[in-house]
Amino acid sequence: MKISIQSAAMLLASWLSESAAFAPRPAARTALSLNYMSEANQRALLEARLSYTQKFPKNINGSTQVNGVNGTPSINGQKDEYSFLVGILGDLHIDPRKMEDYTTGREHFLNIFDDAKSNLGDEHVAMVSLGDLGESKNCDHNPDNPFELFAGTTKCHAMAAEYLNSFGVPYEVIGGNHDLEGIDEFDTDGKNLRRFLKLHNKPTPQFCRQIAEKTLLVGLCSTIFRDAKYTSHEVIIDDEQIRWFEDLLKSKPADDGWRIFVFSHAPPNGSGIRIIQENHVVNGCCWLNHSDEKNCRKFIELVREHRCVKGWFSGHFHLGQDYQDSITFPTIDPSEGPYPNRGSCVFAQTSVMRAGTSRDGRQQSRLLRGNKDGFEVCTVDHQNGGKIRVDATITYRDKTHEVGIYAHEDEAYDHDNYFKVYQPQMNDHGYICADDEEICLLTPDPITKDTVAWWRLACGRVLGVVNGMMLEFDKSTLAPLGLVVSSDELMGKQVAIVDSGLEECMINFEEEEEGMEGADCADTSKEEYREQAVLVFDDDGVTIIQPNDDGSYWRKIVRNKIARMKEKRREKAAIEFAQAYLPVRSEDEAKEKIQSTWGPYTTTSGVAKTTNPAKLLVYKN
């Protein structure tokens, strides 16, 4: 059921008449809550409320808003033992040759922190850096090695620590996917991590800081780079940290009044925030522990279970904060289903400070401030003199429920098609159900850039076509996981799902491996055992989309960066050899003479020449 803005306004009027917006509601009263509404209804209600608050610049309870930091409204305008302020810095990617933007950004925060310390007390003010501290290139920092990357080196972390210490408040930092990249200086992740911890005075990769009464800041750190099975730029939280995090959440229940704000470099699967399809989805590094199916989903499961988690901040994407879907709210009660259940947690993307690292031209940091009634997520705009903009206000209804509103229109909605990845929702216009059909033609017309279709296989895995590509989506959160077939292999073709299990099964006791007799004859009456084949076809033939060994379909196509860096150096040596011994005059001519010998890879980019699996032509004209 859809809801119009007018209908939402009527709901809003009813809602406003029964209680104040910026005060917790009595637990015994029933009230409309965004936690129990569909995404469409929630957006309509938020837009109606936004329109209302723009017309009436006072709090809905009738009191005039009290100015907070730098003249911006703060939640309830009150100070109490729960009051706090946290500055949040996205990916710094410090380049020692380009420090102007960092100096400017720090000046913007110094005034904010000075005001907050005088109003709240030093112990209620802190800063968190979300990692990726250094630029992942040679920054003329090591004349003896023109190949060395600055990120992850001792020089990098020493400079980052000095910079973060200069803000005049305690800081916490977590590692991102570039912070163990000192591959020339350190030969193991462990050595690199120990240097990172020592220079930032961290006893452990994770952190936990109490910032106010029953209010914790908790950080999770990426600790694996060289040892990554797939792309080194996957943000991996190790098992020890996950156990620590789960134990912490169990010990601080929401029913006892705890509020926990979590910080990680990449967001968790299921957060629903804006991502870049052409980069992080295709390369399999969007989410925490992206390539580990169990641990990838672990974080959102913990958020759903433990409603003490009120907010989660991440960076990684280098995207600005002007999009409303750079922040996502809890949307439905857990009893109503698994998607898009985000517990009691608000997820927020954090932008970057330096212009040269921004993917959309924004230069922004985050500000988090709260008290007993709720919290606000704000933007510090470094392109506008450090101006503070309130992006969202979240009010605690009770200990396990919140109401969140956007504080401004989507400032950059025109860019939606470029930056936002389509994410399916149950029963939306792209959903195709083929549960009872042995052969299902999913795309009756050849695929174009505008084709949107998705389906759930009998095994529970979800595939979809969008922007001319086939992607796999998480079967619980429906978050995009990775590329299955690229657009150059899929455009103009069609997709079909056919049953592929045997109708009859004969057990061959002579040829079967001992102990495995009859393994192929599982009870196929159960839907999860029903075998299906995903086929891409046109008049020239049929391609079978074979799953990976673990049953997933998305292609882990990006190799470990350590191997790629060594390959680049071998390529450089070969070019210099060719220039010395072959009849070539320039480096470009030498490059044309150089080839490598491994598998499908033809460059050192780490991406396979084609993402299409091997073809099986079953018919040809």
Side-chain angles (χ1 to χ4, degrees), residues 224-239:
I224 297 174
F225 181 79
R226 295 158 185 78
D227 297 332
K229 184 176 180 180
Y230 300 108
T231 173
S232 301
H233 294 301
E234 181 179 2
V235 181
I236 300 175
I237 310 300
D238 58 73
D239 290 343

Side-chain angles (χ1 to χ4, degrees), residues 101 127 186 300 310 548 569:
D101 286 344
M127 184 174 70
F186 307 99
I300 195 66
K310 303 302 184 186
N548 302 313
R569 296 179 187 185

Side-chain angles (χ1 to χ4, degrees), residues 231-507:
T231 173
S232 301
H233 294 301
E234 181 179 2
V235 181
I236 300 175
I237 310 300
D238 58 73
D239 290 343
E240 184 177 349
Q241 284 187 86
I242 294 175
R243 287 192 294 270
W244 172 87
F245 183 49
E246 186 169 10
D247 289 342
L248 176 70
L249 297 183
K250 290 178 180 177
S251 69
K252 308 295 182 186
D255 288 342
D256 288 349
W258 286 97
R259 298 103 178 258
I260 295 178
F261 296 89
V262 186
F263 303 84
S264 62
H265 183 68
N269 174 340
S271 58
I273 61 176
R274 178 181 296 260
I275 57 179
I276 298 182
Q277 179 170 279
E278 289 78 6
N279 188 338
H280 299 100
V281 174
V282 170
N283 291 337
C285 60
C286 281
W287 318 116
L288 296 177
N289 296 37
H290 191 127
S291 66
D292 183 326
E293 184 173 354
K294 180 181 177 181
N295 280 343
C296 183
R297 201 178 301 124
K298 177 68 173 179
F299 302 101
I300 195 66
E301 290 172 349
L302 289 174
V303 166
R304 291 168 175 172
E305 181 181 356
H306 300 283
R307 300 183 78 89
C308 56
V309 181
K310 303 302 184 186
W312 195 308
F313 292 82
S314 59
H316 192 45
F317 298 148
H318 298 216
L319 293 176
Q321 300 161 188
D322 296 339
Y323 319 95
Q324 284 193 343
D325 56 7
S326 71
I327 298 175
T328 58
F329 297 122
T331 49
I332 63 174
D333 186 81
S335 64
E336 295 187 17
Y339 179 81
N341 176 14
R342 303 184 187 110
S344 289
C345 185
V346 174
F347 293 92
Q349 155 75 21
T350 305
S351 185
V352 296
M353 187 178 285
R354 178 160 69 86
T357 63
S358 175
R359 287 194 169 98
D360 57 3
R362 273 73 175 167
Q363 292 173 254
Q364 300 164 328
S365 300
R366 285 284 188 201
L367 199 64
L368 167 66
R369 59 194 184 198
N371 63 17
K372 65 180 178 61
D373 296 324
F375 61 95
E376 289 175 336
V377 179
C378 308
T379 286
V380 180
D381 190 344
H382 300 301
Q383 292 176 318
N384 194 14
K387 182 179 178 181
I388 298 174
R389 179 188 69 204
V390 179
D391 294 325
T393 300
I394 295 85
T395 305
Y396 300 133
R397 246 191 63 208
D398 53 45
K399 292 180 179 180
T400 58
H401 296 90
E402 298 75 32
V403 174
I405 63 167
Y406 295 108
H408 60 81
E409 295 279 6
D410 198 316
E411 301 287 337
Y413 201 73
D414 289 344
H415 298 288
D416 189 65
N417 290 333
Y418 182 70
F419 284 116
K420 186 179 180 182
V421 176
Y422 163 78
Q423 184 166 320
Q425 297 185 40
M426 286 305 300
N427 300 318
D428 68 8
H429 68 283
Y431 179 61
I432 300 173
C433 183
D435 291 344
D436 300 325
E437 299 178 67
E438 293 183 3
I439 299 178
C440 180
L441 188 63
L442 292 165
T443 53
D445 299 313
I447 292 168
T448 70
K449 281 285 187 181
D450 297 324
T451 301
V452 175
W454 68 279
W455 57 96
R456 191 181 295 274
L457 298 173
C459 62
R461 297 194 178 273
V462 176
L463 302 180
V465 174
V466 60
N467 291 339
M469 299 181 291
M470 185 184 294
L471 303 178
E472 181 170 1
F473 299 87
D474 183 81
K475 57 187 177 183
S476 171
T477 66
L478 297 182
L481 291 177
L483 180 71
V484 180
V485 183
S486 61
S487 60
D488 60 332
E489 295 285 345
L490 193 62
M491 293 278 284
K493 299 181 181 179
Q494 295 171 264
V495 178
I497 306 295
V498 302
D499 279 358
S500 58
L502 299 176
E503 293 184 3
E504 296 181 1
C505 187
M506 301 294 293
I507 301 177

Side-chain angles (χ1 to χ4, degrees), residues 128-146:
V128 176
S129 170
L130 296 174
D132 274 9
L133 301 176
E135 188 68 291
S136 181
K137 62 178 65 172
N138 184 275
C139 298
D140 300 331
H141 64 286
N142 186 357
D144 295 332
N145 185 355

